[in-house]
Short mmCIF file of all heavy atoms in Angstrom, two decimals:
data_model
loop_
_atom_site.label_atom_id
_atom_site.label_comp_id
_atom_site.label_asym_id
_atom_site.label_seq_id
_atom_site.Cartn_x
_atom_site.Cartn_y
_atom_site.Cartn_z
N PRO A 147 22.32 27.59 -7.16
CA PRO A 147 23.30 27.05 -8.15
C PRO A 147 24.27 26.03 -7.52
O PRO A 147 24.99 25.38 -8.27
CB PRO A 147 24.07 28.33 -8.58
CG PRO A 147 23.95 29.26 -7.39
CD PRO A 147 22.62 28.97 -6.81
N ARG A 148 24.28 25.91 -6.21
CA ARG A 148 25.29 24.94 -5.59
C ARG A 148 24.89 23.51 -5.84
O ARG A 148 25.67 22.57 -5.67
CB ARG A 148 25.36 25.18 -4.12
CG ARG A 148 24.07 24.91 -3.38
CD ARG A 148 24.25 25.26 -1.87
NE ARG A 148 23.05 24.95 -1.09
CZ ARG A 148 21.97 25.76 -1.01
NH1 ARG A 148 21.93 26.88 -1.74
NH2 ARG A 148 20.93 25.39 -0.32
N HIS A 149 23.61 23.25 -6.28
CA HIS A 149 23.17 21.89 -6.53
C HIS A 149 23.41 21.55 -7.98
O HIS A 149 22.68 22.02 -8.87
CB HIS A 149 21.64 21.75 -6.23
CG HIS A 149 21.36 22.02 -4.77
ND1 HIS A 149 21.71 21.17 -3.76
CD2 HIS A 149 20.75 23.09 -4.17
CE1 HIS A 149 21.27 21.63 -2.60
NE2 HIS A 149 20.73 22.81 -2.82
N GLU A 150 24.51 20.89 -8.25
CA GLU A 150 24.86 20.53 -9.63
C GLU A 150 24.28 19.23 -10.06
O GLU A 150 23.94 18.33 -9.24
CB GLU A 150 26.41 20.47 -9.76
CG GLU A 150 27.06 21.83 -9.41
CD GLU A 150 28.60 21.68 -9.55
OE1 GLU A 150 29.06 20.55 -9.79
OE2 GLU A 150 29.26 22.69 -9.39
N GLN A 151 24.10 19.10 -11.34
CA GLN A 151 23.56 17.83 -11.88
C GLN A 151 24.62 16.77 -11.80
O GLN A 151 25.72 16.90 -12.27
CB GLN A 151 23.14 18.02 -13.33
CG GLN A 151 22.03 19.02 -13.54
CD GLN A 151 20.70 18.54 -13.00
OE1 GLN A 151 20.47 17.34 -13.04
NE2 GLN A 151 19.91 19.41 -12.46
N THR A 152 24.30 15.62 -11.20
CA THR A 152 25.22 14.49 -11.03
C THR A 152 24.50 13.26 -11.44
O THR A 152 23.28 13.24 -11.75
CB THR A 152 25.68 14.37 -9.58
OG1 THR A 152 24.55 14.09 -8.73
CG2 THR A 152 26.36 15.65 -9.09
N ASP A 153 25.22 12.15 -11.42
CA ASP A 153 24.66 10.84 -11.79
C ASP A 153 23.53 10.39 -10.87
O ASP A 153 22.79 9.51 -11.19
CB ASP A 153 25.74 9.79 -11.91
CG ASP A 153 26.65 10.05 -13.12
OD1 ASP A 153 26.28 10.85 -13.96
OD2 ASP A 153 27.73 9.35 -13.18
N THR A 154 23.53 10.94 -9.65
CA THR A 154 22.52 10.50 -8.69
C THR A 154 21.13 10.98 -9.11
O THR A 154 20.15 10.51 -8.56
CB THR A 154 22.83 11.08 -7.31
OG1 THR A 154 22.91 12.50 -7.37
CG2 THR A 154 24.15 10.53 -6.78
N ASN A 155 21.07 11.89 -10.10
CA ASN A 155 19.77 12.33 -10.56
C ASN A 155 19.11 11.29 -11.48
O ASN A 155 17.92 11.45 -11.81
CB ASN A 155 19.91 13.65 -11.35
CG ASN A 155 20.35 14.79 -10.44
OD1 ASN A 155 20.06 14.77 -9.26
ND2 ASN A 155 21.01 15.76 -11.02
N GLU A 156 19.89 10.32 -11.92
CA GLU A 156 19.38 9.29 -12.82
C GLU A 156 19.13 8.01 -11.99
O GLU A 156 20.08 7.37 -11.61
CB GLU A 156 20.37 9.03 -13.95
CG GLU A 156 20.74 10.25 -14.76
CD GLU A 156 19.57 10.74 -15.57
OE1 GLU A 156 18.64 9.98 -15.86
OE2 GLU A 156 19.62 11.91 -15.98
N GLY A 157 17.91 7.65 -11.76
CA GLY A 157 17.68 6.43 -10.99
C GLY A 157 16.20 6.20 -10.79
O GLY A 157 15.36 6.76 -11.53
N PRO A 158 15.84 5.43 -9.78
CA PRO A 158 14.43 5.16 -9.49
C PRO A 158 13.69 6.46 -9.18
O PRO A 158 14.30 7.40 -8.70
CB PRO A 158 14.47 4.20 -8.25
CG PRO A 158 15.84 3.66 -8.33
CD PRO A 158 16.72 4.68 -8.86
N ILE A 159 12.42 6.51 -9.45
CA ILE A 159 11.65 7.68 -9.27
C ILE A 159 10.88 7.59 -7.93
O ILE A 159 10.73 6.54 -7.35
CB ILE A 159 10.63 7.90 -10.42
CG1 ILE A 159 9.61 6.75 -10.43
CG2 ILE A 159 11.34 8.03 -11.71
CD1 ILE A 159 8.50 6.95 -11.42
N ASP A 160 10.42 8.73 -7.44
CA ASP A 160 9.72 8.82 -6.18
C ASP A 160 8.18 8.99 -6.38
O ASP A 160 7.45 9.10 -5.39
CB ASP A 160 10.21 10.00 -5.38
CG ASP A 160 11.69 9.84 -4.96
OD1 ASP A 160 12.10 8.68 -4.73
OD2 ASP A 160 12.40 10.86 -4.91
N HIS A 161 7.77 8.97 -7.65
CA HIS A 161 6.34 9.25 -7.90
C HIS A 161 5.63 8.02 -8.33
O HIS A 161 6.03 7.28 -9.22
CB HIS A 161 6.24 10.28 -9.05
CG HIS A 161 7.04 11.54 -8.82
ND1 HIS A 161 6.60 12.55 -8.07
CD2 HIS A 161 8.27 11.88 -9.28
CE1 HIS A 161 7.52 13.54 -8.03
NE2 HIS A 161 8.53 13.16 -8.79
N PRO A 162 4.45 7.71 -7.67
CA PRO A 162 3.59 6.61 -8.19
C PRO A 162 3.05 7.00 -9.55
O PRO A 162 2.81 8.18 -9.84
CB PRO A 162 2.54 6.49 -7.17
CG PRO A 162 2.48 7.83 -6.45
CD PRO A 162 3.90 8.33 -6.49
N LEU A 163 2.85 6.00 -10.41
CA LEU A 163 2.44 6.27 -11.75
C LEU A 163 0.99 5.81 -11.99
O LEU A 163 0.61 4.69 -11.62
CB LEU A 163 3.34 5.47 -12.76
CG LEU A 163 4.81 5.79 -12.68
CD1 LEU A 163 5.55 4.95 -13.74
CD2 LEU A 163 5.08 7.27 -12.90
N LEU A 164 0.19 6.69 -12.53
CA LEU A 164 -1.18 6.38 -12.88
C LEU A 164 -1.33 6.44 -14.40
O LEU A 164 -0.99 7.47 -15.00
CB LEU A 164 -2.16 7.32 -12.21
CG LEU A 164 -3.66 6.97 -12.33
CD1 LEU A 164 -4.44 7.51 -11.13
CD2 LEU A 164 -4.29 7.53 -13.62
N ALA A 165 -1.73 5.31 -15.01
CA ALA A 165 -1.86 5.26 -16.49
C ALA A 165 -3.29 4.97 -16.84
O ALA A 165 -3.96 4.13 -16.25
CB ALA A 165 -0.96 4.16 -17.04
N SER A 166 -3.80 5.70 -17.81
CA SER A 166 -5.11 5.44 -18.34
C SER A 166 -5.06 4.28 -19.34
O SER A 166 -4.09 4.07 -20.04
CB SER A 166 -5.69 6.66 -19.06
OG SER A 166 -4.99 6.95 -20.22
N ILE A 167 -6.10 3.43 -19.34
CA ILE A 167 -6.14 2.27 -20.18
C ILE A 167 -7.48 2.18 -20.90
O ILE A 167 -8.45 2.80 -20.46
CB ILE A 167 -5.85 0.98 -19.41
CG1 ILE A 167 -6.89 0.84 -18.29
CG2 ILE A 167 -4.44 0.94 -18.86
CD1 ILE A 167 -6.86 -0.52 -17.58
N ASP A 168 -7.53 1.41 -21.94
CA ASP A 168 -8.77 1.06 -22.64
C ASP A 168 -9.24 -0.27 -22.05
O ASP A 168 -8.57 -1.33 -22.23
CB ASP A 168 -8.50 0.94 -24.09
CG ASP A 168 -9.82 0.69 -24.89
OD1 ASP A 168 -10.85 0.44 -24.26
OD2 ASP A 168 -9.80 0.79 -26.14
N PRO A 169 -10.37 -0.37 -21.39
CA PRO A 169 -10.79 -1.60 -20.78
C PRO A 169 -11.09 -2.71 -21.76
O PRO A 169 -11.21 -3.91 -21.38
CB PRO A 169 -12.06 -1.18 -19.98
CG PRO A 169 -12.58 0.05 -20.66
CD PRO A 169 -11.34 0.75 -21.14
N HIS A 170 -11.22 -2.42 -23.05
CA HIS A 170 -11.58 -3.45 -24.05
C HIS A 170 -10.37 -4.20 -24.51
O HIS A 170 -10.51 -5.23 -25.20
CB HIS A 170 -12.24 -2.75 -25.27
CG HIS A 170 -13.42 -1.93 -24.93
ND1 HIS A 170 -13.30 -0.60 -24.59
CD2 HIS A 170 -14.73 -2.21 -24.88
CE1 HIS A 170 -14.52 -0.11 -24.35
NE2 HIS A 170 -15.40 -1.08 -24.49
N ARG A 171 -9.17 -3.84 -24.12
CA ARG A 171 -7.95 -4.49 -24.68
C ARG A 171 -7.62 -5.80 -24.02
O ARG A 171 -6.76 -6.53 -24.49
CB ARG A 171 -6.78 -3.52 -24.65
CG ARG A 171 -6.98 -2.31 -25.54
CD ARG A 171 -5.68 -1.51 -25.64
NE ARG A 171 -5.90 -0.31 -26.40
CZ ARG A 171 -5.84 -0.25 -27.69
NH1 ARG A 171 -5.61 -1.32 -28.43
NH2 ARG A 171 -6.05 0.92 -28.31
N GLY A 172 -8.17 -6.09 -22.88
CA GLY A 172 -8.01 -7.38 -22.27
C GLY A 172 -6.87 -7.41 -21.21
O GLY A 172 -6.01 -6.49 -21.16
N GLU A 173 -6.88 -8.47 -20.38
CA GLU A 173 -5.91 -8.53 -19.27
C GLU A 173 -4.49 -8.67 -19.72
O GLU A 173 -3.59 -8.21 -19.07
CB GLU A 173 -6.33 -9.70 -18.37
CG GLU A 173 -7.52 -9.42 -17.45
CD GLU A 173 -7.63 -10.45 -16.33
OE1 GLU A 173 -6.81 -11.43 -16.34
OE2 GLU A 173 -8.50 -10.27 -15.47
N LYS A 174 -4.31 -9.38 -20.87
CA LYS A 174 -2.91 -9.60 -21.34
C LYS A 174 -2.26 -8.23 -21.65
O LYS A 174 -1.09 -7.99 -21.31
CB LYS A 174 -2.92 -10.49 -22.53
CG LYS A 174 -1.52 -10.85 -23.05
CD LYS A 174 -1.59 -11.80 -24.24
CE LYS A 174 -0.17 -12.13 -24.71
NZ LYS A 174 -0.20 -13.08 -25.89
N HIS A 175 -3.00 -7.35 -22.31
CA HIS A 175 -2.47 -6.05 -22.63
C HIS A 175 -2.25 -5.24 -21.37
O HIS A 175 -1.22 -4.55 -21.20
CB HIS A 175 -3.45 -5.30 -23.57
CG HIS A 175 -3.18 -3.87 -23.75
ND1 HIS A 175 -2.16 -3.41 -24.56
CD2 HIS A 175 -3.74 -2.74 -23.20
CE1 HIS A 175 -2.11 -2.08 -24.54
NE2 HIS A 175 -3.04 -1.67 -23.70
N HIS A 176 -3.20 -5.26 -20.48
CA HIS A 176 -3.09 -4.49 -19.22
C HIS A 176 -1.94 -5.02 -18.39
O HIS A 176 -1.22 -4.22 -17.69
CB HIS A 176 -4.40 -4.60 -18.40
CG HIS A 176 -5.57 -4.00 -19.12
ND1 HIS A 176 -6.87 -4.30 -18.78
CD2 HIS A 176 -5.63 -3.10 -20.12
CE1 HIS A 176 -7.67 -3.65 -19.60
NE2 HIS A 176 -6.94 -2.92 -20.43
N ALA A 177 -1.65 -6.33 -18.36
CA ALA A 177 -0.54 -6.87 -17.65
C ALA A 177 0.77 -6.37 -18.23
O ALA A 177 1.74 -6.09 -17.51
CB ALA A 177 -0.61 -8.39 -17.65
N SER A 178 0.85 -6.27 -19.54
CA SER A 178 2.04 -5.73 -20.21
C SER A 178 2.31 -4.29 -19.82
O SER A 178 3.46 -3.91 -19.58
CB SER A 178 1.95 -5.87 -21.73
OG SER A 178 1.77 -7.19 -22.13
N ILE A 179 1.24 -3.50 -19.78
CA ILE A 179 1.37 -2.09 -19.34
C ILE A 179 1.88 -2.03 -17.89
O ILE A 179 2.74 -1.23 -17.59
CB ILE A 179 0.05 -1.36 -19.49
CG1 ILE A 179 -0.42 -1.37 -20.95
CG2 ILE A 179 0.18 0.06 -18.97
CD1 ILE A 179 0.52 -0.66 -21.90
N LEU A 180 1.30 -2.86 -17.03
CA LEU A 180 1.69 -2.83 -15.63
C LEU A 180 3.18 -3.29 -15.45
O LEU A 180 3.90 -2.69 -14.64
CB LEU A 180 0.79 -3.77 -14.81
CG LEU A 180 0.86 -3.64 -13.31
CD1 LEU A 180 0.51 -2.27 -12.81
CD2 LEU A 180 -0.07 -4.69 -12.64
N GLU A 181 3.60 -4.27 -16.19
CA GLU A 181 4.99 -4.69 -16.13
C GLU A 181 5.89 -3.57 -16.62
O GLU A 181 7.01 -3.36 -16.04
CB GLU A 181 5.18 -5.93 -16.98
CG GLU A 181 4.52 -7.18 -16.45
CD GLU A 181 4.64 -8.38 -17.34
OE1 GLU A 181 5.33 -8.21 -18.41
OE2 GLU A 181 4.08 -9.46 -17.07
N MET A 182 5.54 -2.85 -17.64
CA MET A 182 6.32 -1.77 -18.11
C MET A 182 6.47 -0.67 -17.05
O MET A 182 7.55 -0.11 -16.87
CB MET A 182 5.67 -1.18 -19.38
CG MET A 182 6.40 0.05 -19.96
SD MET A 182 5.30 1.09 -20.97
CE MET A 182 4.26 1.78 -19.71
N LEU A 183 5.35 -0.33 -16.33
CA LEU A 183 5.45 0.69 -15.35
C LEU A 183 6.44 0.32 -14.24
O LEU A 183 7.17 1.22 -13.77
CB LEU A 183 4.04 0.96 -14.74
CG LEU A 183 2.96 1.49 -15.69
CD1 LEU A 183 1.67 1.66 -14.96
CD2 LEU A 183 3.38 2.83 -16.32
N PHE A 184 6.46 -0.89 -13.82
CA PHE A 184 7.32 -1.30 -12.75
C PHE A 184 8.75 -1.62 -13.22
O PHE A 184 9.74 -1.22 -12.57
CB PHE A 184 6.76 -2.48 -11.95
CG PHE A 184 5.63 -2.15 -11.01
CD1 PHE A 184 4.32 -2.45 -11.35
CD2 PHE A 184 5.93 -1.53 -9.85
CE1 PHE A 184 3.31 -2.09 -10.43
CE2 PHE A 184 4.92 -1.16 -8.94
CZ PHE A 184 3.61 -1.48 -9.24
N GLU A 185 8.90 -2.34 -14.32
CA GLU A 185 10.19 -2.82 -14.73
C GLU A 185 10.98 -1.80 -15.54
O GLU A 185 12.14 -1.55 -15.27
CB GLU A 185 10.02 -4.10 -15.59
CG GLU A 185 9.27 -5.20 -14.90
CD GLU A 185 10.02 -5.79 -13.70
OE1 GLU A 185 11.24 -5.53 -13.61
OE2 GLU A 185 9.42 -6.41 -12.84
N ALA A 186 10.32 -1.15 -16.51
CA ALA A 186 11.06 -0.22 -17.36
C ALA A 186 11.05 1.20 -16.81
O ALA A 186 11.98 1.96 -17.04
CB ALA A 186 10.43 -0.22 -18.79
N LEU A 187 10.03 1.58 -16.08
CA LEU A 187 9.88 2.96 -15.63
C LEU A 187 10.14 3.15 -14.14
O LEU A 187 9.97 4.22 -13.61
CB LEU A 187 8.47 3.48 -15.98
CG LEU A 187 8.09 3.47 -17.46
CD1 LEU A 187 6.71 3.95 -17.71
CD2 LEU A 187 9.08 4.32 -18.23
N SER A 188 10.48 2.04 -13.45
CA SER A 188 10.92 2.14 -12.03
C SER A 188 9.85 2.71 -11.12
O SER A 188 10.14 3.47 -10.21
CB SER A 188 12.23 2.94 -11.91
OG SER A 188 13.16 2.55 -12.86
N ALA A 189 8.63 2.35 -11.35
CA ALA A 189 7.54 2.92 -10.48
C ALA A 189 7.60 2.34 -9.11
O ALA A 189 7.69 1.11 -8.92
CB ALA A 189 6.18 2.58 -11.13
N PRO A 190 7.48 3.15 -8.05
CA PRO A 190 7.41 2.62 -6.67
C PRO A 190 5.97 2.08 -6.40
O PRO A 190 5.73 1.29 -5.49
CB PRO A 190 7.72 3.85 -5.78
CG PRO A 190 7.31 5.01 -6.64
CD PRO A 190 7.56 4.63 -8.05
N ALA A 191 4.98 2.63 -7.16
CA ALA A 191 3.57 2.16 -7.05
C ALA A 191 2.88 2.55 -8.34
O ALA A 191 3.35 3.46 -9.02
CB ALA A 191 2.87 2.77 -5.84
N ALA A 192 1.83 1.88 -8.66
CA ALA A 192 1.15 2.14 -9.94
C ALA A 192 -0.34 1.89 -9.81
O ALA A 192 -0.78 1.14 -8.89
CB ALA A 192 1.71 1.29 -11.06
N TYR A 193 -1.06 2.43 -10.77
CA TYR A 193 -2.50 2.21 -10.83
C TYR A 193 -2.95 2.34 -12.28
O TYR A 193 -2.50 3.26 -12.99
CB TYR A 193 -3.31 3.19 -9.97
CG TYR A 193 -4.75 2.85 -9.82
CD1 TYR A 193 -5.18 1.99 -8.85
CD2 TYR A 193 -5.72 3.45 -10.64
CE1 TYR A 193 -6.54 1.62 -8.70
CE2 TYR A 193 -7.10 3.11 -10.54
CZ TYR A 193 -7.45 2.23 -9.59
OH TYR A 193 -8.78 1.91 -9.44
N LEU A 194 -3.83 1.44 -12.74
CA LEU A 194 -4.40 1.51 -14.09
C LEU A 194 -5.84 1.83 -13.98
O LEU A 194 -6.62 1.18 -13.29
CB LEU A 194 -4.19 0.16 -14.83
CG LEU A 194 -2.79 -0.35 -14.93
CD1 LEU A 194 -2.77 -1.67 -15.75
CD2 LEU A 194 -1.85 0.64 -15.60
N ALA A 195 -6.30 2.89 -14.69
CA ALA A 195 -7.65 3.37 -14.61
C ALA A 195 -8.26 3.49 -16.03
O ALA A 195 -7.63 3.96 -16.92
CB ALA A 195 -7.74 4.72 -13.89
N PRO A 196 -9.47 3.00 -16.22
CA PRO A 196 -10.12 3.16 -17.55
C PRO A 196 -10.29 4.59 -17.93
O PRO A 196 -10.65 5.44 -17.08
CB PRO A 196 -11.45 2.48 -17.39
CG PRO A 196 -11.31 1.56 -16.20
CD PRO A 196 -10.32 2.25 -15.31
#
Side-chain angles (χ1 to χ4, degrees):
R148 63 183 183 280
H149 299 288
E150 298 179 356
Q151 298 290 328
T152 63
D153 289 348
T154 59
N155 294 332
E156 304 291 341
I159 63 174
D160 297 325
H161 308 278
L163 303 181
L164 189 150
S166 68
I167 57 171
D168 184 350
H170 305 88
R171 295 190 185 275
E173 283 194 355
K174 185 177 180 181
H175 168 77
H176 298 160
S178 300
I179 299 298
L180 192 60
E181 291 175 3
M182 178 204 68
L183 296 179
F184 281 106
E185 303 296 340
L187 300 177
S188 311
Y193 189 85
L194 303 182

